Amino acid sequence: MPLHIFTLSWLMLALVAGSLSGCATPSAPYRPPWTGDALVDGQHAVSNAPPKDKVMWQMITARSALFQKNYDLAEDLLDDVLRSIENRYGKDKEARKSRKLFQDEAGKFFIGEPYERVMAYYYRGILYWMAGQPDNARACFRSAQLQDSDSEKNEFRNDYVLMDYLEGLTSLKLSASADSNYMRATNSARLAIPPPYRSSDNVLIFTDYGAGPTKYASGAYGEQLKFKEGRSSAREIKIASAHEEIHLGPYDDLTYQASTRGGRLMDHILANQAVFKSTTDAAGDAALMSGIVLAHGRNTQEVGLGLVAAGLVSKIFSAAASPDADTRDWDNLPQYLTFGTMSLPPGRHILTLRYLDAAGNEISNLTRTEYIQVNDSPKDTVLYFSDIKQQIP
Amino acid sequence: MTEMQSDERGFVTGTGIESQDLVSVTDKMARSLVNTPEINDFSGMPRIVLDPVINNTRFPIQQGIFLTRIRTLLNSRTRGKMRFLARERMDALRAEREMKRTGELTSSSDPNVQEFKGADFFLTGKLDGQTTRTSAGTSDYVLYSFQLIDARTSEIIWEDFSELKKQGLEDASYR
């Protein structure tokens, strides 16, 4: 091939590359320095991660704070998360950019997929209840359910069992009616049906277990957001005190919730970007091949050079198109959520938590005891337990 | 960072309860309450206790903030027309009185005389909400209602309300 063909080609390449230089190039995801203390690492990440990822780190760190019973920190982080979720309306420059052909979806401010937002409200609701504010807890459970209201199919909308169940129980505690809540909760139940309310019970136990779903990108160009199923060796829990034993089933399954949302509007945008990427890539290949062949002919050399240049431009546009789905996720969520109540006299008590597998056998290495202090009436004692004591971001 | 007035709508907004709503609602309630005949014609000084607002919306709120602002407005603008009782401080007040009774602290009056006042009225309120959500965004309606209840008869002697509706559209990238 004559030297001037190469010269022209590289000149075109440089020009187009220059024109696309403003496009986003995915950078390596931020990782906090690992100290082994999830709260230290998480708070470092909240302060130092790119602003677009801050909410994700706040979510992760909030759950680490819950594991460590650092409820004040969890409250602060979740309050900030909820503000970000609630204030997402209106014009958002970064969100608008993330829809553009040459920008990553992950360039937008992270507020999570609906199942992640639901969990932020859910945990904040638990903390409000712990603080003796059942009406604010109810507000959070309502908002949690609302986050699940834009699933593609009707049958998967507002179908968290616990959000309805807990809205009902908080209403009963506030002397309001809860019949429709219980009915909705039982209608949504797939894995286990929650028991009828015992509104006079004074010990309210929230537990969750297993490792929740994770996101991954699928499709030829990573344009499809998919969810890898969460896992849990435990299926049910038995909690025993000296006075009674309760049996808790998995009322909500986060993998199910994550994967039944259906198509997002953003999926269509990314699919179109993937088509663009694929088409420009194929057109670039065809133009390059034809151009190189024609450039060797004495009479077709100019046409050939033009085709080579066009092919290069097309290839560069294809390479610059960025249809990757946003796979940032709240990576320490549980697989199953459950809840139960007990009636215990005020004072110190010992609870034994036994986790059972799908066959009903006890998973002995998960069994543990918790020492609790039951409040004097009328304040309820709200407890949160997880099967994982600490998670490293 | 931009400093703003509390009744100004900021550029970071949602469809929830915000400071400008708090200001407009409590201003309206304080103006309405102060013109209540039962308060104006009360023989002596009416004593009022604040009973926490019930939140029946989907938005968590700082529970005392509405009544605190109403109380502060009334106290600062209608000096001497009514008295509010500091029931949320009763633990500290009882402890103080007990220390005076035991002689641990000095007292300008006989600490054994019961001087904690009873309420003539309860001022309370409720926030109710209704939400509509579509794939494009969210619409939230909040009804703020406040009542003054006669502590002796349980009669509601004054009631007023304010209502606000907000809508927010989500960027397509979050849908």
Side-chain angles (χ1 to χ4, degrees):
Chain A
M1 191 185 300
L3 187 61
H4 61 271
I5 295 179
F6 283 110
T7 309
L8 182 63
S9 304
W10 285 111
L11 188 62
M12 290 297 298
L13 188 74
L15 281 172
V16 177
S19 70
L20 292 174
S21 62
C23 303
T25 48
S27 53
Y30 171 84
R31 284 278 144 195
W34 188 78
T35 67
D37 183 329
L39 289 192
V40 172
D41 296 343
Q43 288 181 93
H44 186 279
V46 169
S47 304
N48 296 288
K52 70 185 180 69
D53 298 337
K54 186 178 176 185
V55 168
M56 178 186 76
W57 287 108
Q58 286 173 321
M59 287 171 162
I60 292 168
T61 312
R63 187 147 193 262
S64 300
L66 280 168
F67 293 139
Q68 298 191 22
K69 300 192 191 306
N70 188 338
Y71 299 131
D72 289 344
L73 177 62
E75 277 178 17
D76 289 345
L77 291 164
L78 289 171
D79 280 342
D80 227 18
V81 167
L82 300 192
R83 269 192 291 275
S84 300
I85 292 171
E86 286 293 339
N87 293 334
R88 70 183 185 276
Y89 302 107
K91 290 177 182 169
D92 182 335
K93 206 171 85 182
E94 296 305 319
R96 202 166 58 241
K97 261 168 57 181
S98 74
R99 287 185 272 125
K100 291 188 174 170
L101 193 54
F102 303 113
Q103 299 286 339
D104 262 359
E105 188 196 356
K108 70 184 179 189
F109 283 96
F110 178 91
I111 56 166
E113 290 299 310
Y115 75 97
E116 293 164 311
R117 303 199 291 261
V118 166
M119 290 307 292
Y121 282 103
Y122 174 69
Y123 286 135
R124 190 63 185 96
I126 294 173
L127 293 168
Y128 271 123
W129 214 343
M130 274 182 189
Q133 299 178 29
D135 55 349
N136 276 339
R138 178 175 63 182
C140 288
F141 300 138
R142 281 180 182 159
S143 282
Q145 192 72 292
L146 189 73
Q147 296 300 320
D148 186 47
S149 61
D150 56 0
S151 299
E152 199 172 35
K153 292 183 178 169
N154 254 335
E155 66 202 271
F156 301 128
R157 287 180 192 157
N158 311 101
D159 64 344
Y160 279 82
V161 176
L162 274 184
M163 303 313 149
D164 274 326
Y165 187 77
L166 294 170
E167 183 189 337
L169 184 56
T170 45
S171 294
L172 285 176
K173 294 276 183 188
L174 294 160
S175 308
S177 159
D179 292 344
S180 61
N181 292 107
Y182 185 69
M183 200 167 68
R184 282 203 302 271
T186 50
N187 285 344
S188 300
R190 292 181 317 112
L191 303 174
I193 296 175
Y197 295 122
R198 299 195 315 188
S199 60
S200 58
D201 281 1
N202 60 336
V203 178
L204 316 173
I205 307 169
F206 290 87
T207 64
D208 46 34
Y209 46 104
T214 47
K215 298 174 191 169
Y216 68 96
S218 180
Y221 301 104
E223 76 277 13
Q224 293 167 17
L225 178 63
K226 301 273 185 187
F227 298 94
K228 188 178 167 205
E229 194 172 346
R231 61 196 187 283
S232 174
S233 52
R235 184 80 168 181
E236 299 169 25
I237 306 179
K238 282 184 176 174
I239 303 179
S241 72
H243 296 76
E244 65 174 311
E245 182 178 76
I246 55 173
H247 191 172
L248 313 180
Y251 300 134
D252 282 307
D253 170 348
L254 283 192
T255 298
Y256 174 80
Q257 291 295 345
S259 53
T260 55
R261 187 202 172 177
R264 307 176 302 160
L265 187 59
M266 196 63 198
D267 291 337
H268 299 291
I269 295 168
L270 295 176
N272 287 337
Q273 291 179 6
V275 169
F276 173 86
K277 192 174 179 75
S278 157
T279 309
T280 48
D281 189 40
D285 284 343
L288 274 173
M289 295 293 287
S290 313
I292 288 168
V293 170
L294 291 172
H296 281 88
R298 187 165 293 173
N299 299 328
T300 56
Q301 197 177 54
E302 281 185 15
V303 175
L305 282 174
L307 275 173
V308 166
L312 282 171
V313 170
S314 189
K315 294 287 278 183
I316 290 167
F317 273 106
S318 172
S322 183
D324 308 75
D326 181 5
T327 56
R328 294 171 295 171
D329 59 5
W330 184 349
D331 65 4
N332 59 356
L333 282 175
Q335 168 69 346
Y336 296 124
L337 313 180
T338 189
F339 172 79
T341 63
M342 279 183 171
S343 182
L344 294 176
R348 199 165 166 76
H349 294 267
I350 299 172
L351 297 182
T352 306
L353 283 75
R354 293 190 177 83
Y355 292 81
L356 311 180
D357 64 18
N361 301 313
E362 185 176 333
I363 306 167
S364 54
N365 63 331
L366 292 179
T367 300
R368 69 176 199 268
T369 51
E370 292 278 347
Y371 296 88
I372 64 160
Q373 181 71 34
V374 175
N375 298 323
D376 289 331
S377 182
K379 192 182 172 195
D380 289 325
T381 301
V382 180
L383 306 167
Y384 169 77
F385 303 123
S386 184
D387 64 332
I388 308 166
K389 287 187 177 161
Q390 193 174 1
Q391 292 246 334
I392 309 299
Chain B
M1 205 272 284
T2 310
E3 197 169 314
M4 306 187 86
Q5 298 296 313
S6 57
D7 58 352
E8 207 176 338
R9 189 167 173 82
F11 42 78
V12 179
T13 57
T15 60
I17 297 161
E18 296 169 302
S19 71
Q20 68 271 19
D21 311 330
L22 169 73
V23 170
S24 70
V25 168
T26 51
D27 278 351
K28 182 182 175 188
M29 295 305 138
R31 274 197 307 273
S32 173
L33 182 59
V34 83
N35 294 319
T36 308
E38 283 82 353
I39 294 287
N40 283 326
D41 304 339
F42 193 84
S43 68
M45 184 83 75
R47 298 183 195 283
I48 300 173
V49 163
L50 304 180
D51 197 32
V53 165
I54 295 170
N55 178 14
N56 192 27
T57 70
R58 73 173 190 90
F59 303 106
I61 57 166
Q62 196 189 328
Q63 288 191 310
I65 198 165
F66 281 91
L67 294 180
T68 300
R69 193 165 190 280
I70 293 175
R71 186 196 68 210
T72 312
L73 281 170
L74 291 171
N75 267 337
S76 63
R77 294 185 191 168
T78 65
R79 283 175 202 282
K81 202 168 179 180
M82 59 190 81
R83 282 272 191 274
F84 290 89
L85 303 178
R87 286 285 166 84
E88 71 277 19
R89 307 284 183 202
M90 287 305 282
D91 287 347
L93 294 169
R94 277 197 203 98
E96 179 77 9
R97 185 176 65 178
E98 200 49 40
M99 284 190 283
K100 285 177 178 169
R101 281 178 175 172
T102 57
E104 208 175 327
L105 300 177
T106 60
S107 177
S108 53
S109 61
D110 181 358
N112 292 310
V113 176
Q114 171 58 277
E115 289 190 283
F116 288 161
K117 305 283 186 190
D120 299 306
F121 300 106
F122 280 89
L123 175 61
T124 189
K126 191 176 178 202
L127 276 57
D128 291 286
Q130 178 70 44
T131 304
T132 311
R133 187 171 161 86
T134 67
S135 57
T138 306
S139 168
D140 276 294
Y141 163 83
V142 178
L143 172 68
Y144 306 79
S145 57
F146 291 84
Q147 298 176 331
L148 192 67
I149 301 167
D150 188 319
R152 187 170 52 83
T153 64
S154 79
E155 289 171 303
I156 298 170
I157 61 158
W158 165 86
E159 187 162 27
D160 205 345
F161 73 96
S162 188
E163 52 194 344
L164 289 167
K165 184 178 177 179
K166 297 182 187 178
Q167 288 185 314
L169 289 176
E170 282 175 286
D171 189 276
S173 66
Y174 290 118
R175 289 190 237 149

